[in-house]
Amino acid sequence: MRNELIERTKQFGIDCWKFCFKVPKSREYNAFVNQLIRSSSSVGANYRASQRAKSTSDFIYKLKIVEEEVDESVHWLEVFEEILSEHSDEILKLQKEGKELLAITVASINTAKRNNLK
């Protein structure tokens, strides 16, 4: 599962980048594109960092960053869904993956917290 999540979180950033490449170039779109690329690429980098955590607290801290970044990515995808309806199929697939990664991350945080109390 660990290697699968490393790959999934990395692929999420790549897939968001590929979507952003298709977005029309303008000052208005570029602001949103930059935000989505930043947050989605951070998901994989921070998940990977969590796998090298030095303690349970460090692991939880790093996963909380993943949680924030994937949630922000889903937000920007929701914005794009409203303003670029011609790409809705691709956006909905990205949202689905983002929400799945978010759920997995939150579950991992909760499990780590429970295990840390024992």
Side-chain angles (χ1 to χ4, degrees):
M1 180 72 154
R2 184 184 90 107
N3 288 337
E4 178 189 342
L5 281 174
I6 287 174
E7 186 55 37
R8 277 181 74 177
T9 55
K10 179 175 73 173
Q11 192 61 49
F12 179 69
I14 292 167
D15 292 343
C16 286
W17 182 90
K18 288 178 179 179
F19 162 72
C20 287
F21 185 77
K22 300 173 189 172
V23 174
K25 312 299 186 253
S26 75
R27 182 176 48 123
E28 295 78 16
Y29 284 127
N30 290 348
F32 294 163
V33 162
N34 290 339
Q35 289 293 109
L36 178 57
I37 289 174
R38 186 199 55 75
S39 62
S40 64
S41 62
S42 181
V43 172
N46 283 293
Y47 182 79
R48 187 178 185 117
S50 77
Q51 301 307 294
R52 298 202 181 276
K54 305 205 180 353
S55 66
T56 303
S57 295
D58 189 35
F59 176 72
I60 292 168
Y61 172 77
K62 287 176 172 152
L63 281 185
K64 292 294 284 176
I65 296 170
V66 173
E67 177 187 11
E68 291 174 13
E69 296 296 339
V70 76
D71 189 51
E72 181 179 339
S73 298
V74 170
H75 164 76
W76 291 115
L77 289 165
E78 289 169 353
V79 170
F80 277 117
E81 182 184 9
E82 299 248 342
I83 61 176
L84 282 175
S85 58
E86 65 270 22
H87 294 284
S88 66
D89 288 346
E90 183 175 8
I91 293 168
L92 291 174
K93 281 185 3 187
L94 290 169
Q95 283 179 352
K96 180 179 183 287
E97 179 65 359
K99 289 175 182 178
E100 286 179 16
L101 291 172
L102 182 59
I104 291 167
T105 302
V106 169
S108 296
I109 291 167
N110 292 337
T111 299
K113 284 180 179 179
R114 273 193 309 277
N115 290 342
N116 202 31
L117 294 176
K118 294 180 181 176

